[in-house]
């Protein structure tokens, strides 16, 4: 299967799930049921940023899905693959927002799920100043939990904000890694769709700090491409859905680094196969052109701005 | 983004029309008028069924007279005409290459011609099995130049450069008996075959056409390109400008036109000389502007960033500006019309080569030994001519575009190194480009080459085809007058990325390249052969499997036919926008568009409907992708 076919197929799969989920929700709650993420002024931030339209109830969500469908063109061109990636992300956002219906807390510690505007404003300034030199999105499970922790810690030591989706979260938990926004390691959720919560961060950054007009998808993608230093580390195996999500990430300008070697196509600076997980960090930073000025201080503990919010408990 | 805007063909035409008004005022002739006088063309000639190779003829084929006097049928006549056409082109490029080899042979540390890229010379020497250790670079240059000159007439063996092709391609050539032997031999053999009473079998004539083409592309042209790089430097990305607006009304304008960089390089060298610039100022000019027309322009643009005034059908326009002090020419594609035309203005039409002598010109014979003084003489003559300018006739259209040129294979590979990741990739390969193609980000590549031809609205096909290809994420490499058309339109401005599909646009952004890559002059199509060979080797595919096609939408010269033949022979499907005078024979049509595929895995497509031509290329590229599952 070609790379584009995989993207399209992953997109179709997610679209199918989303359609069913929305239909079921309407059947259960009625079309007037309100849908919203907590603590955000941007409705469904991704959908709002791409289309300029806010969604407030299930009926509107269903309509929005119709708009998403129009992005799912199937020409064999990168634009179509990119738009399918975006469509996949928007579907993920729809699936995620349904989780918040009549349920204040679909996510429980340590997973954050949706991140509120305040968190983004808080992270925004250090992102702009370069104090946070990058955003890592780690997806799936590493070959071993040691490699997972090693990788996460390596980013943390560089001050990079790490977000986790899927198996890697449990790997870090098992290893007893201290996580949370304060130490710049944010587990999002175990479903692949929860990756949208970090996409939402990048997109709200464009709306808040980049002054991008909602609905101006071109400038939105330009802003994230040029200004949001994010990248994705996706562990094998990659199914079509993850490949489709990856297309969305690449559309926003975020390279994807993976250790998948089966049925994958390499794209310079965008989709990079790195079989050696211990070199994910160096590969990713180079791919996203992140240069970190490090003054190495020879001390027996880790040292980075990421530890500034750490809480030292008694005992 | 900003205020970038392409220059349209309509704007080109408006400028040309304005210049023709000046021409009308001074009673100048123009190709536009001469085309009218020649239309309609003779149908027998157009179909290739007129034969005049012996004095029993001329013969022509009609339903009533299906054979010539010797008994040759339409297929034999068309085939012979086609082979002669090819031989003319191969001879032309090859003689150009020979001149360069001679120049290299005479290069000296204290001479006018030096070795500017010793690394490339050493690379070639090693490739040819020449000992390089401890050798003076000029001794090496002379040794390699002599070997190259022997390629033109060696009694045994095939062309040395063939070894650069993938083994599979070499095997095909050998099997089809089209691997070229000595360059001159293939040209002579072609002329032998087309003599009265020799070959009249289309298959044999087509086979030799391919071999004669190959002795050009993988022989003479490759010598021309490779040793021009050695002498004048291997091109690197450089910014320049294109279109008539590069001429400067306040300066002495010298236009170099023709093909061989040995002349143009020297002229540029002296035009840059402070002494000459001071002299120009002394006659009332603000400076000296050298610009180029045709392939010699491509050569100096690629290496020196000298601006490109225009392509083939714009050569008269250069004089019509009334601001051209001298148009200095060497060989090939120079309208003899420039002689009488220059007489209508103050322009000096300076011919320099014994190979291309024309009436109504100042003939300053240029050769290796006297190059420096002759170049100086020419520049001085142009400056002296500045005061003869007739201000009332001066009109330079205010149109030019920025262009980034200089994409030799070496520069392309270096650019590709820029998008590798040091943690996973190796440097110095074409792999990043292959990855862009296999993933679908770029659908394929088209090599756009060739001339202008009044049969096609000038530059329209080049520009419109390129625009559609770019929008479809197909990267374009261009050379010759096709490249200049692109540059004039603005397609070699990096800002032109916004005309591309999302895939190619992303590639242009990440690699920091324009979407149309200028690979040089017409002999530099040999660069494209090397590039495609590298792509094949790096991908493990055969050249014919790569989603790559060639296109000459507005081709005109015999050289273009020779080029077409070696491009097809290299395994690249080639699309022509002008029929090569073969419509008089269905058998020749069969061999060129289908039959040769059995030998070289590629063939011609002729489509005079330009819109259809581009769609056919895109379809072919997608077919090739589907065949290898990408």
């Amino acid at each position: 299967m070609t790379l584009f076919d995989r993207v399209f197929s992953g997109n179709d799969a997610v679209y199918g799930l989303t359609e069913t989920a929305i239909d079921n929700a309407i059947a259960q709650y009625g079309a007037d049921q309100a849908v919203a993420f907590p603590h955000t002024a941007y409705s469904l931030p991704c959908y709002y940023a791409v289309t300029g339209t806010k969604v407030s109830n299930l009926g509107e969500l269903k309509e929005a899905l119709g708009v998403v469908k129009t992005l799912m063109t199937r020409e064999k061109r990168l634009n179509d693959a990119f738009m399918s990636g975006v469509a996949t992300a928007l579907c993920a956002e729809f699936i995620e927002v349904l989780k918040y219906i009549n349920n204040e807390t679909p996510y429980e510690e340590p997973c954050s799920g949706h991140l509120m505007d305040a968190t983004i404003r808080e992270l925004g300034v250090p992102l702009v100043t370069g104090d946070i030199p990058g955003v890592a999105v780690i997806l799936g499970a590493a070959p071993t939990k040691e490699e997972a922790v090693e990788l996460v810690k390596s980013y943390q030591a560089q001050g990079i904000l790490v977000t986790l989706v899927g198996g890697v979260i449990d790997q870090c938990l098992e290893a007893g890694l201290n996580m949370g926004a304060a130490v710049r390691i944010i587990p999002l959720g175990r479903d692949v769709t929860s990756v949208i919560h970090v996409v939402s961060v990048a997109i709200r950054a464009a709306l808040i700090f980049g002054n991008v007009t909602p609905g101006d998808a071109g400038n939105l993608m330009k802003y994230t491409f040029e200004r949001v230093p994010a990248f994705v580390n996706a562990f094998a195996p990659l199914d079509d859905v993850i490949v489709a999500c990856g297309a969305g990430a690449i559309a926003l300008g975020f390279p994807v680094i993976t250790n998948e070697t089966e049925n994958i196509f390499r794209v310079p600076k965008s989709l990079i196969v790195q079989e050696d997980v211990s070199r994910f960090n160096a590969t990713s930073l180079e791919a996203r052109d992140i240069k970190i000025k490090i003054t190495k201080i020879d001390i027996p503990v880790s040292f980075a701005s990421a530890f500034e919010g750490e809480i030292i408990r008694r005992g | 983004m900003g205020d970038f805007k392409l220059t349209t063909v309509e704007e080109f035409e408006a400028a040309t029309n304005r210049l023709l008004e000046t021409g009308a005022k001074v009673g100048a002739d123009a190709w536009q008028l001469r085309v009218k006088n020649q239309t309609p063309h003779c149908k027998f000639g157009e179909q290739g069924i007129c034969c005049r190779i012996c004095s029993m003829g001329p013969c022509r084929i009609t339903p009533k007279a299906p054979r010539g006097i010797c008994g040759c049928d339409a297929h034999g006549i068309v085939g012979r005409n086609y082979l002669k056409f090819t031989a003319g082109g191969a001879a032309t490029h090859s003689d150009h290459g020979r001149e360069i080899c001679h120049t290299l042979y005479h290069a000296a540390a204290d001479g006018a011609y030096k070795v500017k890229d010793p690394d490339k010379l050493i690379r070639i020497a090693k490739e040819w099995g020449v000992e390089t250790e401890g050798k003076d670079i000029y001794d090496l240059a002379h040794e390699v130049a002599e070997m190259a000159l022997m390629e033109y007439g060696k009694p045994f063996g095939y062309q040395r450069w063939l070894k650069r092709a993938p083994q599979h391609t070499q095997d095909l050539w050998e099997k089809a008996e089209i691997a070229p032997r000595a360059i001159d031999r293939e040209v002579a053999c072609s002329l032998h075959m087309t003599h009265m009473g020799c070959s009249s079998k289309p298959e044999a004539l087509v086979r030799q056409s391919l071999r004669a083409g190959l002795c050009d592309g993988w022989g003479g042209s490759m010598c021309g390109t490779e040793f021009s790089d050695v002498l004048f430097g291997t091109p690197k990305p450089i910014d320049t400008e294109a279109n008539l607006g590069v001429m400067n009304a306040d300066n002495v304008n010298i236009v170099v036109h023709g093909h061989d960089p040995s002349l143009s390089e020297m002229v540029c060298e002296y035009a840059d000389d402070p002494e000459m610039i001071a002299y120009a100022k002394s006659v009332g000019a603000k400076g000296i502007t050298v610009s180029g027309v045709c392939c010699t322009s491509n050569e100096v643009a690629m290496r020196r960033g000298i601006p490109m005034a225009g392509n083939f059908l714009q050569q008269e326009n250069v004089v019509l500006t009334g601001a051209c002090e001298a148009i200095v020419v060497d060989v090939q594609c120079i309208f003899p019309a420039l002689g009488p035309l220059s007489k209508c203005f103050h322009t000096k039409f300076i011919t320099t080569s014994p190979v291309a002598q024309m009436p109504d010109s100042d003939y300053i014979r240029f050769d290796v030994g006297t190059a420096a003084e002759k170049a100086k003489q020419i520049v001085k003559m142009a400056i002296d001519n500045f005061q003869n300018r007739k201000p009332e006739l001066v009109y330079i259209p205010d149109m030019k575009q920025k262009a980034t040129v200089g994409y030799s294979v070496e520069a392309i590979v270096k650019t590709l190194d820029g998008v590798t990741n040091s943690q996973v990739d190796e440097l110095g390969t074409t792999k990043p480009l292959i990855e862009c193609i296999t993933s679908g980000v770029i659908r394929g590549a088209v090599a756009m080459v060739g001339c202008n031809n009044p049969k096609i609205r000038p530059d329209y096909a080049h520009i419109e085809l390129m625009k559609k290809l770019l929008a479809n994420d197909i990267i374009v490499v261009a050379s010759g007058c096709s490249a200049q058309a692109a540059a004039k339109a603005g397609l070699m401005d990096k800002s032109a990325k916004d005309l591309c599909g999302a895939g190619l646009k992303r590639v242009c952004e990440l690699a920091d390249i324009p979407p149309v890559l200028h690979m040089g002059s017409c002999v530099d199509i040999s660069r494209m052969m090397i590039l495609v060979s590298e792509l094949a080797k790096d991908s493990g595919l055969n050249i014919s499997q790569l989603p790559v096609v060639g296109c000459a939408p507005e081709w005109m010269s015999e050289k273009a036919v020779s080029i077409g033949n070696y491009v097809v022979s290299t395994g690249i499907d080639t699309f022509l926008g002008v029929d090569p005078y073969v419509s008089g024979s269905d058998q020749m049509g069969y061999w060129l568009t289908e039959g040769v595929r059995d030998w070289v895995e590629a063939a011609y497509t002729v489509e005079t409907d330009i819109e259809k031509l581009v769609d056919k290329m895109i379809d072919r590229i997608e077919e090739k992708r589907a065949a290898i599952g990408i």
Side-chain angles (χ1 to χ4, degrees), chain A residues 61-113:
Chain A
L61 193 64
K62 177 83 185 171
E63 276 171 39
L65 192 66
V67 176
V68 170
K69 183 76 186 171
T70 65
L71 299 178
M72 295 163 61
T73 50
R74 291 292 179 256
E75 290 289 316
K76 292 173 191 160
R77 295 289 180 270
L78 186 67
N79 185 53
D80 302 75
F82 271 179
M83 286 307 133
S84 269
V86 171
T88 308
L90 296 177
C91 286
E93 185 170 55
F94 294 179
I95 289 176
E96 287 293 308
V97 80
L98 290 175
K99 291 183 183 172
Y100 284 85
I101 290 180
N102 286 347
N103 181 356
E104 292 294 303
T105 52
Y107 284 97
E108 281 171 7
E109 283 289 311
C111 293
S112 71

Side-chain angles (χ1 to χ4, degrees), chain B residues 194-207:
Chain B
T194 56
H195 190 276
M196 185 270 145
C198 282
S199 285
S200 52
K201 194 171 161 188
E203 181 187 335
L205 293 161
V206 169
R207 212 184 273 277

Side-chain angles (χ1 to χ4, degrees), chain B residues 68 94 111 182 216 218 227 288 335 344 372 406 430 494 554 585-586 602:
Chain B
S94 298
D216 170 355
W218 291 84
F227 296 121
I288 305 172
F335 274 174
C344 299
T430 61
K494 285 177 186 169
E554 304 181 19
S585 160
D586 55 351

Side-chain angles (χ1 to χ4, degrees), chain A residues 1-4 76-79 82 219 221-222 225 250-254 265-275 279 282-284 286-287, chain B residues 1 418-425 431-433 435-436 438-441 443 471-474 501-504 506 509-510 618 622 626 629-630:
Chain A
M1 225 166 38
T2 69
L3 184 61
F4 290 1
K76 292 173 191 160
R77 295 289 180 270
L78 186 67
N79 185 53
F82 271 179
N219 267 324
M221 282 153 80
K222 190 170 184 295
F225 180 71
I250 294 169
L252 294 173
F254 310 150
F265 290 84
R266 294 162 169 84
V267 183
K269 296 216 65 128
S270 299
L271 179 49
I272 296 167
V273 175
Q274 172 57 273
E275 292 180 50
R279 291 165 72 189
T283 309
S284 302
E286 185 179 328
Chain B
M1 284 212 265
V419 295
T420 55
N421 192 299
S422 66
Q423 299 293 322
V424 287
D425 297 316
K431 283 180 183 165
L433 178 55
E435 289 170 2
C436 288
T438 50
S439 61
V441 170
R443 305 305 294 174
N472 278 284
D473 286 338
I474 294 167
L504 184 53
R506 184 62 75 95
E509 281 170 349
L510 291 176
I618 296 171
E622 290 297 332
I630 58 171

Side-chain angles (χ1 to χ4, degrees), chain B residues 369-391:
Chain B
T370 58
E373 58 184 272
K374 293 292 173 69
K376 215 165 176 174
Q377 185 189 344
I378 289 167
V379 173
K380 194 162 172 298
M381 196 166 165
I383 296 171
D384 287 335
N385 196 23
F386 182 74
Q387 50 220 14
N388 299 328
R389 206 189 263 187
K390 299 179 185 112

